[in-house]
Amino acid sequence: MCAAPASIAVFEFLDSTHREIQAQIRQLHALVDAIESTGLNTATREQARRVLDYFNGEARQHHLDEEKHIFPALLGSQDAEIVQATEHLIQDHGWLEENWIQIAPSLEAATSGNLWFDTVELRHALDVFEALYTDHLLLEESVAYPEAKKRLAGLNTIGMGREMAKRRALKSDEARARR
């Protein structure tokens, strides 16, 4: 297998994760709407668990994918704008994590049938989370990914994909063991 198709496959995977992040944010909005209108029931509790598991798992793995495999290639650029954009993206990951830490306890409570949290505050935190992610994904897709595709095009990225898959399998096994 040549390097270019492998490189394309890695970016197709990363792009599909971006689409899933956006879908999960829409699910989170729908969940808050449902909790405000009808409270908690089996369906909303399960929806809260799915969204919670996604952002605690796959979304964090996605950030790690970028920090391990994409951003290092960009930080070595001679183009100061590329380096600055990459540093901004790395900082965004920290801000997204901090915002998620504000959201997650409410979802955890919802999964257990507890409504101790304020849905107005949850909605505000979600709006901030969505705005951060929207800007972040736009910068990745318009600047970081096109540049990284150029930089990685000549490299065999199959090992990159294997590492991503192996890390996810390990995390999945750990999550099953906790349940």
Side-chain angles (χ1 to χ4, degrees):
M1 178 181 273
C2 69
S7 179
I8 291 168
V10 166
F11 286 98
E12 286 174 351
F13 175 70
L14 294 171
D15 286 339
S16 73
T17 304
H18 283 184
R19 289 188 297 276
E20 183 60 24
I21 286 168
Q22 292 166 325
Q24 291 292 327
I25 289 171
R26 286 190 298 275
Q27 286 293 311
L28 190 46
H29 276 291
L31 174 64
V32 175
D33 291 343
I35 291 170
E36 286 180 335
S37 67
T38 60
L40 289 172
N41 56 43
T42 301
T44 53
R45 289 173 65 183
E46 289 173 6
Q47 187 177 4
R49 173 54 60 196
R50 285 190 302 272
V51 173
L52 183 68
D53 288 348
Y54 182 82
F55 283 104
N56 281 340
E58 183 58 33
R60 284 178 171 155
Q61 291 302 312
H62 175 76
H63 293 173
L64 188 56
D65 293 339
E66 292 170 338
E67 290 175 10
K68 286 185 76 166
H69 301 294
I70 306 304
F71 297 165
L74 301 176
L75 290 170
S77 174
Q78 299 301 313
D79 184 334
E81 289 180 29
I82 296 296
V83 172
Q84 183 179 15
T86 306
E87 289 170 345
H88 182 90
L89 291 168
I90 293 166
Q91 184 179 38
D92 281 354
H93 284 175
W95 288 116
L96 287 162
E97 180 66 17
E98 185 174 318
N99 194 237
W100 177 247
I101 289 170
Q102 290 179 316
I103 294 170
S106 298
L107 295 183
E108 191 64 52
T111 66
S112 302
N114 295 314
L115 273 174
W116 57 257
F117 56 92
D118 183 340
T119 57
V120 173
E121 288 182 25
L122 176 57
R123 184 172 301 285
H124 174 71
L126 173 55
D127 289 343
V128 171
F129 190 63
E130 181 179 30
L132 285 169
Y133 251 125
T134 298
D135 291 347
H136 180 78
L137 299 178
L138 180 62
L139 184 57
E140 284 181 342
E141 292 173 3
S142 65
V143 176
Y145 285 9
E147 182 66 22
K149 283 177 188 175
K150 287 188 250 178
R151 292 175 167 275
L152 297 174
L155 301 176
N156 184 337
T157 58
I158 292 171
M160 203 183 285
R162 284 186 186 135
E163 188 279 332
M164 292 174 177
K166 183 177 180 181
R167 186 168 14 91
R168 280 169 175 74
L170 180 61
K171 288 292 181 185
S172 179
D173 290 346
E174 290 172 0
R176 274 193 293 274
R178 284 192 301 269
R179 287 184 186 166

